[in-house]
Amino acid sequence: MQEKPKQDKQPQENQTQENHAWSGRFNEPVAELVKRYTASVEFDQRLALFDIQGSLAHAQMLAACNIISAQDLTDIRHGLGKIENEVLSGEFVWSVDLEDVHLNIEKRLTTLVGDAGKRLHTGRSRNDQVATDVRLYLRHAIDELTLLIGSLQTALVDLAALHTQTIMPGFTHLQVAQPVSFGHHLMAYYEMLKRDAERLRDCRKRVNRLPLGAAALAGTSYPIKREYVAELLNFEGVCENSLDAVSDRDFAIEFNAAAALIMTHLSRLSEELILWMSPRFGFIDIADRFCTGSSIMPQKKNPDVPELVRGKTGRVTGNLVALLTLMKGQPLAYNKDNQEDKEPLFDTVDTLIMTLRIYADMMGGITVKPEAMRNAALQGYATATDLADYLVKKGLPFRDAHEAVALAVRYAEQRGCDLADLKLDELQLFSKLVSDDIYAVLTLEGSLAARNHIGGTAPQQVEAAIARARKLLANKA
Ligand code: ARG
Protein backbone atom coordinates (compact mmCIF):
# COMPACT_ATOMS: atom_id res chain seq x y z
CA MET A 1 0.00 0.00 0.00
CA GLN A 2 1.17 3.49 -0.84
CA GLU A 3 1.19 6.14 1.84
CA LYS A 4 -1.56 8.68 2.10
CA PRO A 5 -0.60 12.15 0.91
CA LYS A 6 1.19 14.08 3.59
CA GLN A 7 -0.97 17.14 3.57
CA ASP A 8 0.40 18.69 6.72
CA LYS A 9 4.02 18.76 5.60
CA GLN A 10 3.88 20.62 2.33
CA PRO A 11 7.09 21.29 0.45
CA GLN A 12 8.54 24.26 -1.36
CA GLU A 13 6.37 25.31 -4.25
CA ASN A 14 4.06 22.32 -4.21
CA GLN A 15 2.15 24.33 -1.65
CA THR A 16 -0.36 26.14 -3.84
CA GLN A 17 -3.75 27.55 -3.15
CA GLU A 18 -4.70 27.06 -6.76
CA ASN A 19 -4.06 24.35 -9.24
CA HIS A 20 -2.14 26.43 -11.75
CA ALA A 21 -2.33 23.69 -14.36
CA TRP A 22 -5.85 24.82 -15.18
CA SER A 23 -7.10 27.54 -12.80
CA GLY A 24 -6.35 30.42 -15.21
CA ARG A 25 -9.91 30.84 -16.42
CA PHE A 26 -11.56 30.58 -13.00
CA ASN A 27 -12.80 33.52 -10.93
CA GLU A 28 -12.80 31.83 -7.56
CA PRO A 29 -10.89 28.97 -6.01
CA VAL A 30 -12.43 25.52 -5.98
CA ALA A 31 -14.32 24.80 -2.76
CA GLU A 32 -12.28 22.81 -0.28
CA LEU A 33 -14.72 19.92 -0.25
CA VAL A 34 -14.89 19.85 -4.05
CA LYS A 35 -11.12 19.80 -4.19
CA ARG A 36 -11.07 16.69 -2.01
CA TYR A 37 -13.99 15.18 -3.89
CA THR A 38 -12.36 15.54 -7.28
CA ALA A 39 -8.77 14.78 -6.32
CA SER A 40 -7.43 11.32 -7.07
CA VAL A 41 -3.88 11.64 -5.77
CA GLU A 42 -4.63 9.63 -2.65
CA PHE A 43 -5.05 6.53 -4.77
CA ASP A 44 -3.49 7.27 -8.16
CA GLN A 45 -0.07 8.06 -6.67
CA ARG A 46 0.62 4.37 -7.03
CA LEU A 47 0.86 5.03 -10.78
CA ALA A 48 3.83 7.36 -10.22
CA LEU A 49 6.55 5.14 -11.65
CA PHE A 50 4.45 4.31 -14.70
CA ASP A 51 3.65 7.99 -15.15
CA ILE A 52 7.37 8.74 -15.16
CA GLN A 53 8.05 5.90 -17.60
CA GLY A 54 5.39 7.27 -19.97
CA SER A 55 6.68 10.84 -19.64
CA LEU A 56 10.25 9.78 -20.43
CA ALA A 57 9.11 8.09 -23.64
CA HIS A 58 6.91 11.04 -24.58
CA ALA A 59 9.78 13.50 -24.01
CA GLN A 60 12.18 11.36 -26.01
CA MET A 61 9.75 11.40 -28.92
CA LEU A 62 9.20 15.17 -28.61
CA ALA A 63 12.96 15.70 -28.84
CA ALA A 64 13.36 13.23 -31.73
CA CYS A 65 10.66 15.16 -33.61
CA ASN A 66 12.30 18.52 -32.78
CA ILE A 67 9.27 19.62 -30.79
CA ILE A 68 11.46 20.21 -27.73
CA SER A 69 15.21 20.71 -27.65
CA ALA A 70 17.86 18.15 -26.75
CA GLN A 71 18.63 20.27 -23.70
CA ASP A 72 14.99 20.14 -22.61
CA LEU A 73 15.10 16.35 -22.88
CA THR A 74 18.26 16.21 -20.79
CA ASP A 75 16.66 18.42 -18.14
CA ILE A 76 13.43 16.41 -18.13
CA ARG A 77 15.36 13.15 -17.76
CA HIS A 78 17.38 14.54 -14.95
CA GLY A 79 14.32 15.90 -13.15
CA LEU A 80 12.22 12.76 -13.61
CA GLY A 81 15.14 10.63 -12.41
CA LYS A 82 15.27 12.64 -9.21
CA ILE A 83 11.50 12.41 -8.78
CA GLU A 84 11.65 8.66 -9.25
CA ASN A 85 14.13 8.43 -6.39
CA GLU A 86 11.96 10.63 -4.22
CA VAL A 87 8.94 8.44 -4.93
CA LEU A 88 10.87 5.23 -4.25
CA SER A 89 12.33 6.51 -1.00
CA GLY A 90 8.96 7.89 0.15
CA GLU A 91 10.31 11.45 0.26
CA PHE A 92 8.04 12.74 -2.46
CA VAL A 93 5.38 14.94 -0.91
CA TRP A 94 1.97 14.53 -2.50
CA SER A 95 -0.43 17.43 -2.48
CA VAL A 96 -4.20 17.19 -2.78
CA ASP A 97 -4.14 20.75 -4.12
CA LEU A 98 -2.42 19.35 -7.16
CA GLU A 99 -5.27 16.93 -7.74
CA ASP A 100 -3.66 13.86 -9.20
CA VAL A 101 -0.43 11.97 -9.74
CA HIS A 102 0.18 13.66 -13.10
CA LEU A 103 -0.02 17.23 -11.89
CA ASN A 104 1.95 16.47 -8.73
CA ILE A 105 4.82 15.11 -10.76
CA GLU A 106 4.67 17.83 -13.39
CA LYS A 107 4.74 20.54 -10.75
CA ARG A 108 7.70 18.99 -8.99
CA LEU A 109 9.50 18.61 -12.31
CA THR A 110 8.99 22.29 -13.09
CA THR A 111 10.27 23.19 -9.65
CA LEU A 112 13.36 21.09 -10.27
CA VAL A 113 14.21 21.94 -13.89
CA GLY A 114 12.18 25.03 -14.82
CA ASP A 115 10.85 25.60 -18.34
CA ALA A 116 11.77 22.15 -19.66
CA GLY A 117 9.30 20.77 -17.12
CA LYS A 118 6.61 23.06 -18.48
CA ARG A 119 7.30 21.80 -22.01
CA LEU A 120 6.80 18.13 -21.13
CA HIS A 121 3.04 18.35 -21.55
CA THR A 122 3.32 19.55 -25.18
CA GLY A 123 1.17 17.43 -27.49
CA ARG A 124 -0.30 15.47 -24.60
CA SER A 125 -3.31 15.63 -22.29
CA ARG A 126 -3.93 14.01 -18.96
CA ASN A 127 -6.60 12.03 -20.79
CA ASP A 128 -4.18 10.06 -22.92
CA GLN A 129 -1.59 10.20 -20.15
CA VAL A 130 -3.75 8.50 -17.53
CA ALA A 131 -4.96 5.86 -19.99
CA THR A 132 -1.31 5.08 -20.75
CA ASP A 133 -0.36 4.91 -17.08
CA VAL A 134 -3.18 2.51 -16.26
CA ARG A 135 -2.23 0.26 -19.17
CA LEU A 136 1.42 0.21 -18.11
CA TYR A 137 0.36 -0.58 -14.55
CA LEU A 138 -2.00 -3.34 -15.62
CA ARG A 139 0.48 -4.93 -18.01
CA HIS A 140 2.93 -5.16 -15.14
CA ALA A 141 0.27 -6.59 -12.82
CA ILE A 142 -0.78 -9.19 -15.39
CA ASP A 143 2.80 -10.40 -15.72
CA GLU A 144 3.09 -10.80 -11.97
CA LEU A 145 -0.27 -12.56 -11.74
CA THR A 146 0.62 -14.96 -14.54
CA LEU A 147 3.68 -16.05 -12.59
CA LEU A 148 1.65 -16.47 -9.42
CA ILE A 149 -0.91 -18.63 -11.23
CA GLY A 150 2.02 -20.76 -12.40
CA SER A 151 3.20 -21.21 -8.79
CA LEU A 152 -0.24 -22.29 -7.65
CA GLN A 153 -0.51 -24.71 -10.58
CA THR A 154 2.85 -26.17 -9.63
CA ALA A 155 1.68 -26.65 -6.03
CA LEU A 156 -1.46 -28.43 -7.27
CA VAL A 157 0.47 -30.65 -9.66
CA ASP A 158 3.03 -31.54 -6.97
CA LEU A 159 0.26 -32.60 -4.60
CA ALA A 160 -1.62 -34.44 -7.36
CA ALA A 161 1.51 -36.42 -8.24
CA LEU A 162 1.52 -37.90 -4.72
CA HIS A 163 -2.10 -38.97 -5.01
CA THR A 164 -2.79 -40.60 -8.35
CA GLN A 165 -3.72 -43.77 -6.42
CA THR A 166 -5.42 -42.11 -3.46
CA ILE A 167 -9.09 -42.91 -3.91
CA MET A 168 -11.88 -40.61 -2.80
CA PRO A 169 -15.54 -40.43 -3.69
CA GLY A 170 -16.28 -38.22 -6.67
CA PHE A 171 -19.49 -36.30 -6.09
CA THR A 172 -22.36 -35.01 -8.15
CA HIS A 173 -25.06 -33.09 -6.28
CA LEU A 174 -22.68 -33.58 -3.34
CA GLN A 175 -23.82 -37.23 -3.29
CA VAL A 176 -21.30 -40.01 -3.75
CA ALA A 177 -21.17 -40.68 -7.50
CA GLN A 178 -18.10 -42.62 -8.66
CA PRO A 179 -14.65 -43.13 -7.22
CA VAL A 180 -11.90 -40.83 -8.47
CA SER A 181 -8.36 -40.22 -7.36
CA PHE A 182 -7.54 -37.21 -5.23
CA GLY A 183 -4.86 -36.42 -7.81
CA HIS A 184 -7.47 -36.37 -10.57
CA HIS A 185 -9.64 -34.04 -8.52
CA LEU A 186 -6.75 -31.62 -7.94
CA MET A 187 -5.86 -31.65 -11.63
CA ALA A 188 -9.34 -30.31 -12.40
CA TYR A 189 -8.26 -27.09 -10.67
CA TYR A 190 -5.01 -27.09 -12.61
CA GLU A 191 -7.11 -27.03 -15.80
CA MET A 192 -9.25 -24.14 -14.55
CA LEU A 193 -6.14 -22.14 -13.77
CA LYS A 194 -4.69 -23.01 -17.16
CA ARG A 195 -7.67 -21.33 -18.79
CA ASP A 196 -7.32 -18.41 -16.38
CA ALA A 197 -3.70 -17.87 -17.42
CA GLU A 198 -4.74 -18.09 -21.08
CA ARG A 199 -7.39 -15.45 -20.50
CA LEU A 200 -4.86 -13.12 -18.88
CA ARG A 201 -2.41 -13.63 -21.73
CA ASP A 202 -5.13 -12.83 -24.24
CA CYS A 203 -6.32 -9.78 -22.33
CA ARG A 204 -2.71 -8.52 -22.13
CA LYS A 205 -2.67 -8.09 -25.91
CA ARG A 206 -5.45 -5.51 -25.72
CA VAL A 207 -3.97 -3.84 -22.64
CA ASN A 208 -0.71 -3.49 -24.50
CA ARG A 209 -1.68 -0.66 -26.89
CA LEU A 210 -0.62 2.96 -26.62
CA PRO A 211 -3.19 5.75 -26.10
CA LEU A 212 -0.57 8.57 -25.99
CA GLY A 213 -0.85 10.90 -28.93
CA ALA A 214 -4.64 10.95 -28.75
CA ALA A 215 -4.11 14.01 -26.51
CA ALA A 216 -7.41 15.34 -25.10
CA LEU A 217 -9.56 13.47 -27.62
CA ALA A 218 -8.85 14.52 -31.21
CA GLY A 219 -5.11 14.07 -31.59
CA THR A 220 -2.57 16.88 -31.62
CA SER A 221 -1.34 19.46 -34.09
CA TYR A 222 2.34 18.73 -33.35
CA PRO A 223 4.26 16.45 -35.72
CA ILE A 224 4.43 13.55 -33.23
CA LYS A 225 5.43 9.93 -33.85
CA ARG A 226 3.12 7.68 -31.88
CA GLU A 227 4.66 4.43 -33.13
CA TYR A 228 8.01 5.55 -31.76
CA VAL A 229 6.53 6.05 -28.28
CA ALA A 230 4.81 2.67 -28.55
CA GLU A 231 8.13 1.08 -29.37
CA LEU A 232 9.92 2.81 -26.49
CA LEU A 233 7.28 1.57 -24.04
CA ASN A 234 7.10 -1.94 -25.53
CA PHE A 235 3.50 -1.58 -26.59
CA GLU A 236 2.39 -3.84 -29.43
CA GLY A 237 0.90 -0.90 -31.29
CA VAL A 238 -1.09 2.30 -30.89
CA CYS A 239 -4.80 2.73 -30.19
CA GLU A 240 -6.06 3.56 -33.65
CA ASN A 241 -8.79 6.08 -32.90
CA SER A 242 -8.05 9.04 -30.67
CA LEU A 243 -11.57 9.25 -29.19
CA ASP A 244 -11.51 5.55 -28.37
CA ALA A 245 -7.95 5.79 -27.04
CA VAL A 246 -8.85 8.23 -24.24
CA SER A 247 -12.21 6.76 -23.33
CA ASP A 248 -11.68 3.01 -23.66
CA ARG A 249 -11.57 1.04 -20.42
CA ASP A 250 -12.52 -2.32 -21.98
CA PHE A 251 -9.10 -3.64 -21.11
CA ALA A 252 -9.71 -2.99 -17.41
CA ILE A 253 -13.13 -4.61 -17.54
CA GLU A 254 -11.81 -7.63 -19.40
CA PHE A 255 -9.04 -7.99 -16.90
CA ASN A 256 -11.45 -7.74 -14.01
CA ALA A 257 -13.72 -10.34 -15.61
CA ALA A 258 -10.77 -12.72 -15.89
CA ALA A 259 -9.89 -11.88 -12.28
CA ALA A 260 -13.44 -12.56 -11.08
CA LEU A 261 -13.29 -15.94 -12.76
CA ILE A 262 -9.97 -16.76 -11.06
CA MET A 263 -11.52 -15.89 -7.71
CA THR A 264 -14.62 -17.92 -8.59
CA HIS A 265 -12.42 -20.94 -9.27
CA LEU A 266 -10.55 -20.42 -6.03
CA SER A 267 -13.82 -20.01 -4.15
CA ARG A 268 -14.86 -23.45 -5.39
CA LEU A 269 -11.60 -25.02 -4.26
CA SER A 270 -11.95 -23.15 -0.98
CA GLU A 271 -15.41 -24.56 -0.43
CA GLU A 272 -14.06 -28.05 -1.00
CA LEU A 273 -11.13 -27.52 1.35
CA ILE A 274 -13.56 -26.31 4.01
CA LEU A 275 -15.79 -29.35 3.53
CA TRP A 276 -12.88 -31.76 3.42
CA MET A 277 -11.43 -30.31 6.60
CA SER A 278 -14.71 -30.58 8.46
CA PRO A 279 -14.65 -33.60 10.79
CA ARG A 280 -17.74 -34.91 8.95
CA PHE A 281 -15.43 -35.52 5.99
CA GLY A 282 -12.00 -35.51 7.62
CA PHE A 283 -10.27 -35.90 4.22
CA ILE A 284 -7.54 -33.34 4.80
CA ASP A 285 -5.97 -31.08 7.31
CA ILE A 286 -4.79 -27.56 6.58
CA ALA A 287 -1.56 -26.44 8.24
CA ASP A 288 -2.12 -24.46 11.43
CA ARG A 289 -0.52 -21.34 9.99
CA PHE A 290 -3.50 -20.91 7.64
CA CYS A 291 -6.13 -21.38 10.34
CA THR A 292 -7.25 -19.55 13.43
CA GLY A 293 -8.94 -20.54 16.68
CA SER A 294 -12.07 -19.37 18.40
CA SER A 295 -12.01 -16.93 21.30
CA ILE A 296 -14.72 -18.92 23.08
CA MET A 297 -14.48 -22.54 21.88
CA PRO A 298 -11.03 -23.86 22.76
CA GLN A 299 -11.33 -26.93 20.51
CA LYS A 300 -11.84 -24.97 17.30
CA LYS A 301 -9.51 -24.77 14.33
CA ASN A 302 -11.15 -22.75 11.60
CA PRO A 303 -10.18 -22.73 7.90
CA ASP A 304 -10.09 -18.92 7.80
CA VAL A 305 -7.97 -18.57 4.68
CA PRO A 306 -10.25 -20.57 2.36
CA GLU A 307 -13.27 -18.88 3.92
CA LEU A 308 -11.80 -15.44 3.25
CA VAL A 309 -10.91 -16.38 -0.31
CA ARG A 310 -14.51 -17.45 -0.78
CA GLY A 311 -15.61 -14.14 0.72
CA LYS A 312 -13.20 -11.96 -1.23
CA THR A 313 -14.59 -13.40 -4.46
CA GLY A 314 -17.55 -11.14 -3.78
CA ARG A 315 -15.44 -8.02 -3.76
CA VAL A 316 -13.63 -8.86 -6.99
CA THR A 317 -16.94 -9.61 -8.72
CA GLY A 318 -18.22 -6.35 -7.20
CA ASN A 319 -15.29 -4.50 -8.74
CA LEU A 320 -16.21 -5.94 -12.14
CA VAL A 321 -19.77 -4.71 -11.75
CA ALA A 322 -18.46 -1.30 -10.63
CA LEU A 323 -16.33 -0.97 -13.76
CA LEU A 324 -19.10 -2.07 -16.10
CA THR A 325 -21.51 0.34 -14.46
CA LEU A 326 -18.93 3.12 -14.60
CA MET A 327 -18.68 2.80 -18.38
CA LYS A 328 -22.35 2.25 -19.11
CA GLY A 329 -23.88 5.14 -21.01
CA GLN A 330 -20.73 7.31 -21.00
CA PRO A 331 -20.62 9.50 -24.08
CA LEU A 332 -17.34 9.85 -25.95
CA ALA A 333 -14.72 10.79 -25.15
CA TYR A 334 -13.03 11.20 -21.75
CA ASN A 335 -15.28 11.93 -18.79
CA LYS A 336 -14.23 12.44 -15.20
CA ASP A 337 -16.20 9.28 -14.39
CA ASN A 338 -13.18 7.41 -15.66
CA GLN A 339 -11.18 8.47 -12.63
CA GLU A 340 -13.30 5.94 -10.75
CA ASP A 341 -11.69 3.07 -12.67
CA LYS A 342 -8.63 2.99 -10.46
CA GLU A 343 -9.76 1.93 -7.01
CA PRO A 344 -11.70 -1.15 -8.18
CA LEU A 345 -8.85 -2.10 -10.48
CA PHE A 346 -6.17 -1.68 -7.81
CA ASP A 347 -8.30 -3.53 -5.29
CA THR A 348 -8.76 -6.44 -7.68
CA VAL A 349 -5.03 -6.65 -8.40
CA ASP A 350 -4.13 -6.44 -4.69
CA THR A 351 -6.71 -9.04 -3.71
CA LEU A 352 -5.64 -11.42 -6.43
CA ILE A 353 -1.92 -11.10 -5.76
CA MET A 354 -2.35 -11.81 -2.06
CA THR A 355 -4.83 -14.62 -2.63
CA LEU A 356 -2.69 -16.45 -5.18
CA ARG A 357 0.42 -16.11 -3.06
CA ILE A 358 -1.18 -17.47 0.04
CA TYR A 359 -2.99 -20.22 -1.86
CA ALA A 360 0.16 -21.70 -3.38
CA ASP A 361 1.66 -21.88 0.10
CA MET A 362 -1.47 -23.35 1.61
CA MET A 363 -1.72 -26.15 -0.98
CA GLY A 364 1.87 -27.07 -0.12
CA GLY A 365 0.87 -27.44 3.54
CA ILE A 366 -2.08 -29.80 3.21
CA THR A 367 -2.11 -33.16 4.99
CA VAL A 368 -4.10 -35.80 3.13
CA LYS A 369 -5.92 -38.59 4.96
CA PRO A 370 -6.25 -41.40 2.40
CA GLU A 371 -8.04 -43.77 4.82
CA ALA A 372 -10.90 -41.36 5.40
CA MET A 373 -11.21 -40.73 1.67
CA ARG A 374 -11.25 -44.43 0.94
CA ASN A 375 -13.86 -45.18 3.61
CA ALA A 376 -16.10 -42.49 2.19
CA ALA A 377 -15.70 -43.92 -1.31
CA LEU A 378 -16.72 -47.35 -0.01
CA GLN A 379 -20.04 -45.90 1.10
CA GLY A 380 -22.73 -44.78 -1.28
CA TYR A 381 -22.41 -47.54 -3.93
CA ALA A 382 -19.78 -45.67 -5.90
CA THR A 383 -19.16 -48.69 -8.15
CA ALA A 384 -22.79 -49.20 -9.19
CA THR A 385 -22.05 -47.77 -12.65
CA ASP A 386 -19.21 -50.28 -13.00
CA LEU A 387 -21.65 -53.13 -12.36
CA ALA A 388 -24.00 -51.74 -15.02
CA ASP A 389 -21.12 -51.36 -17.48
CA TYR A 390 -20.10 -54.96 -16.74
CA LEU A 391 -23.57 -56.22 -17.66
CA VAL A 392 -23.58 -54.13 -20.84
CA LYS A 393 -20.26 -55.62 -21.87
CA LYS A 394 -21.90 -59.06 -21.41
CA GLY A 395 -24.68 -58.09 -23.83
CA LEU A 396 -27.41 -56.44 -21.75
CA PRO A 397 -28.78 -53.12 -23.13
CA PHE A 398 -27.66 -50.21 -20.90
CA ARG A 399 -31.17 -49.26 -19.72
CA ASP A 400 -31.86 -52.83 -18.57
CA ALA A 401 -28.48 -52.98 -16.86
CA HIS A 402 -29.26 -49.70 -15.10
CA GLU A 403 -32.53 -51.13 -13.82
CA ALA A 404 -30.94 -54.40 -12.64
CA VAL A 405 -28.23 -52.53 -10.74
CA ALA A 406 -30.77 -50.15 -9.16
CA LEU A 407 -32.55 -53.20 -7.75
CA ALA A 408 -29.26 -54.69 -6.56
CA VAL A 409 -28.42 -51.41 -4.79
CA ARG A 410 -31.79 -51.43 -3.07
CA TYR A 411 -31.21 -55.02 -1.97
CA ALA A 412 -27.74 -54.18 -0.60
CA GLU A 413 -29.10 -51.10 1.12
CA GLN A 414 -31.70 -53.18 2.93
CA ARG A 415 -28.92 -55.48 4.12
CA GLY A 416 -26.75 -52.54 5.08
CA CYS A 417 -23.82 -53.71 2.95
CA ASP A 418 -21.89 -52.73 -0.17
CA LEU A 419 -22.41 -54.34 -3.59
CA ALA A 420 -19.04 -56.03 -3.28
CA ASP A 421 -20.24 -57.69 -0.04
CA LEU A 422 -23.09 -59.53 -1.80
CA LYS A 423 -22.53 -63.21 -2.58
CA LEU A 424 -22.42 -64.34 -6.19
CA ASP A 425 -25.85 -66.05 -6.01
CA GLU A 426 -27.29 -62.87 -4.50
CA LEU A 427 -25.92 -60.76 -7.37
CA GLN A 428 -27.24 -63.31 -9.84
CA LEU A 429 -30.78 -62.61 -8.55
CA PHE A 430 -30.57 -59.42 -10.61
CA SER A 431 -28.87 -60.78 -13.71
CA LYS A 432 -27.79 -64.22 -14.78
CA LEU A 433 -24.93 -62.59 -16.65
CA VAL A 434 -22.99 -62.02 -13.42
CA SER A 435 -20.13 -64.43 -12.79
CA ASP A 436 -17.28 -64.38 -10.31
CA ASP A 437 -15.14 -62.00 -12.37
CA ILE A 438 -17.52 -59.29 -11.09
CA TYR A 439 -15.58 -58.80 -7.86
CA ALA A 440 -12.59 -57.24 -9.64
CA VAL A 441 -15.00 -54.76 -11.23
CA LEU A 442 -16.64 -53.80 -7.96
CA THR A 443 -13.40 -52.71 -6.27
CA LEU A 444 -12.51 -49.04 -6.11
CA GLU A 445 -9.18 -49.72 -7.83
CA GLY A 446 -10.93 -51.61 -10.63
CA SER A 447 -13.34 -48.73 -11.11
CA LEU A 448 -10.51 -46.20 -11.46
CA ALA A 449 -8.36 -48.41 -13.69
CA ALA A 450 -11.30 -48.97 -16.05
CA ARG A 451 -11.50 -45.25 -16.93
CA ASN A 452 -8.37 -45.39 -18.95
CA HIS A 453 -8.72 -42.77 -21.67
CA ILE A 454 -7.53 -39.20 -21.93
CA GLY A 455 -9.24 -37.14 -19.22
CA GLY A 456 -10.21 -40.24 -17.22
CA THR A 457 -9.36 -40.96 -13.59
CA ALA A 458 -7.21 -44.09 -14.19
CA PRO A 459 -3.86 -43.56 -12.43
CA GLN A 460 -2.04 -43.97 -15.74
CA GLN A 461 -4.10 -41.16 -17.28
CA VAL A 462 -3.68 -38.84 -14.32
CA GLU A 463 0.07 -39.44 -14.44
CA ALA A 464 0.02 -38.52 -18.13
CA ALA A 465 -1.97 -35.37 -17.36
CA ILE A 466 0.57 -34.46 -14.70
CA ALA A 467 3.42 -35.00 -17.14
CA ARG A 468 1.75 -32.73 -19.72
CA ALA A 469 1.17 -30.10 -17.04
CA ARG A 470 4.78 -30.20 -15.86
CA LYS A 471 5.99 -29.73 -19.40
CA LEU A 472 3.79 -26.68 -19.94
CA LEU A 473 4.77 -25.17 -16.61
CA ALA A 474 8.46 -25.68 -17.33
CA ASN A 475 8.10 -23.96 -20.71
CA LYS A 476 6.59 -20.93 -19.06
CA ALA A 477 9.08 -20.62 -16.24
N1 ARG B 1 -7.06 12.03 -12.59
C1 ARG B 1 -7.67 11.89 -13.86
C2 ARG B 1 -8.15 10.46 -14.06
O1 ARG B 1 -7.74 9.63 -13.33
C3 ARG B 1 -6.70 12.25 -14.94
C4 ARG B 1 -7.34 12.77 -16.17
C5 ARG B 1 -8.00 14.04 -15.91
N2 ARG B 1 -8.39 14.69 -17.09
C6 ARG B 1 -9.19 15.75 -17.08
N3 ARG B 1 -9.48 16.30 -18.20
N4 ARG B 1 -9.71 16.22 -15.98
O2 ARG B 1 -8.94 10.14 -14.92
Side-chain angles (χ1 to χ4, degrees):
M1 287 300 271
Q2 296 258 355
E3 289 174 38
K4 293 212 162 185
K6 297 170 194 155
Q7 288 160 50
D8 44 351
K9 198 187 114 206
Q10 291 296 344
Q12 336 82 26
E13 290 162 58
N14 266 7
Q15 174 68 62
T16 45
Q17 279 302 104
E18 299 293 312
N19 188 332
H20 292 297
W22 47 254
S23 63
R25 76 179 294 288
F26 287 69
N27 292 324
E28 57 174 2
V30 169
E32 202 49 45
L33 186 58
V34 173
K35 205 188 280 177
R36 277 195 280 136
Y37 191 71
T38 53
S40 54
V41 65
E42 262 196 48
F43 51 84
D44 69 14
Q45 57 181 269
R46 83 150 79 185
L47 295 174
L49 298 182
F50 300 105
D51 194 70
I52 291 170
Q53 196 187 347
S55 289
L56 285 170
H58 178 67
Q60 188 170 335
M61 181 277 290
L62 291 178
C65 297
N66 294 316
I67 300 168
I68 62 170
S69 69
Q71 186 56 50
D72 284 337
L73 176 60
T74 305
D75 291 350
I76 287 169
R77 280 181 171 155
H78 173 248
L80 288 177
K82 186 157 189 334
I83 292 171
E84 183 168 32
N85 288 334
E86 290 175 355
V87 169
L88 287 171
S89 67
E91 278 164 61
F92 192 94
V93 184
W94 300 98
S95 160
V96 174
D97 288 320
L98 292 167
E99 200 180 320
D100 58 23
V101 60
H102 323 292
L103 296 180
N104 268 270
I105 290 178
E106 189 185 310
K107 177 75 181 173
R108 179 77 183 128
L109 181 65
T110 304
T111 304
L112 287 170
V113 305
D115 281 356
K118 295 186 192 166
R119 293 200 180 99
L120 172 62
H121 212 52
T122 313
R124 169 176 96 166
S125 151
R126 274 184 298 155
N127 299 351
D128 56 347
Q129 185 178 0
V130 71
T132 303
D133 292 4
V134 175
R135 283 169 185 265
L136 287 170
Y137 160 82
L138 193 53
R139 184 176 74 182
H140 187 263
I142 287 176
D143 291 344
E144 182 171 356
L145 286 167
T146 307
L147 287 177
L148 290 172
I149 290 178
S151 309
L152 176 52
Q153 285 179 304
T154 302
L156 286 167
V157 171
D158 287 347
L159 190 57
L162 302 174
H163 295 287
T164 57
Q165 323 245 14
T166 304
I167 300 179
M168 66 181 279
F171 298 92
T172 59
H173 313 270
L174 211 55
Q175 309 289 322
V176 171
Q178 292 172 355
V180 295
S181 73
F182 185 53
H184 192 50
H185 195 119
L186 291 171
M187 288 304 285
Y189 286 97
Y190 162 83
E191 289 292 329
M192 295 182 217
L193 290 165
K194 188 169 84 180
R195 292 193 297 275
D196 288 329
E198 270 170 30
R199 261 185 286 275
L200 286 185
R201 266 197 300 281
D202 190 58
C203 165
R204 190 188 191 280
K205 292 185 215 153
R206 285 174 293 279
V207 171
N208 203 20
R209 302 233 148 225
L210 176 77
L212 268 183
L217 76 165
T220 174
S221 57
Y222 299 95
I224 58 166
K225 282 211 177 79
R226 297 186 64 205
E227 291 81 356
Y228 181 47
V229 182
E231 210 181 291
L232 290 174
L233 292 173
N234 274 320
F235 280 107
E236 275 169 49
V238 301
C239 302
E240 292 193 14
N241 177 292
S242 63
L243 294 161
D244 183 45
V246 290
S247 70
D248 169 37
R249 295 294 183 274
D250 292 4
F251 64 90
I253 294 174
E254 259 188 71
F255 166 77
N256 215 316
L261 212 37
I262 297 172
M263 289 301 291
T264 300
H265 291 153
L266 295 182
S267 81
R268 299 183 68 180
L269 181 52
S270 295
E271 173 68 10
E272 303 212 285
L273 295 180
I274 293 162
L275 283 173
W276 294 341
M277 192 179 134
S278 142
R280 294 281 164 274
F281 278 75
F283 286 3
I284 61 159
D285 204 9
I286 297 176
D288 285 358
R289 62 184 181 281
F290 300 101
C291 300
T292 62
S294 156
S295 54
I296 176 169
M297 297 166 282
Q299 85 284 11
K300 293 281 294 243
K301 177 177 162 186
N302 298 328
D304 285 44
V305 169
E307 286 175 67
L308 262 179
V309 172
R310 198 173 54 179
K312 282 178 189 290
T313 305
R315 88 196 259 154
V316 174
T317 302
N319 290 337
L320 171 62
V321 175
L323 289 174
L324 282 166
T325 312
L326 168 68
M327 294 312 293
K328 184 199 169 292
Q330 260 199 57
L332 290 178
Y334 177 87
N335 300 283
K336 188 75 166 182
D337 313 39
N338 286 353
Q339 183 165 289
E340 286 288 306
D341 64 352
K342 288 167 205 64
E343 285 166 294
L345 191 61
F346 295 163
D347 184 67
T348 290
V349 169
D350 290 345
T351 305
L352 217 53
I353 285 179
M354 279 228 280
T355 302
L356 286 166
R357 250 192 217 148
I358 211 164
Y359 229 105
D361 262 11
M362 187 169 65
M363 291 315 292
I366 280 181
T367 312
V368 179
K369 300 175 176 172
E371 268 313 297
M373 290 184 179
R374 187 179 179 82
N375 287 336
L378 286 170
Q379 292 157 23
Y381 305 99
T383 56
T385 315
D386 296 277
L387 176 53
D389 290 344
Y390 167 92
L391 295 174
V392 168
K393 283 170 199 157
K394 298 225 165 177
L396 204 61
F398 182 77
R399 275 289 153 239
D400 296 340
H402 185 282
E403 171 72 8
V405 176
L407 295 173
V409 166
R410 196 160 76 177
Y411 179 91
E413 220 167 22
Q414 279 159 2
R415 273 155 189 72
C417 69
D418 189 39
L419 287 172
D421 299 329
L422 297 177
K423 296 199 191 68
L424 187 56
D425 55 356
E426 286 178 296
L427 284 167
Q428 282 169 341
L429 292 174
F430 305 98
S431 171
K432 292 285 162 236
L433 294 169
V434 178
S435 54
D436 59 3
D437 56 351
I438 186 61
Y439 290 103
V441 169
L442 291 180
T443 62
L444 297 176
E445 282 73 14
S447 176
L448 255 66
R451 285 156 174 78
N452 193 14
H453 51 76
I454 185 161
T457 191
Q460 198 189 332
Q461 293 297 335
V462 178
E463 274 155 27
I466 289 170
R468 290 194 298 272
R470 287 207 196 281
K471 209 166 150 196
L472 275 181
L473 288 168
N475 283 345
K476 256 166 237 145

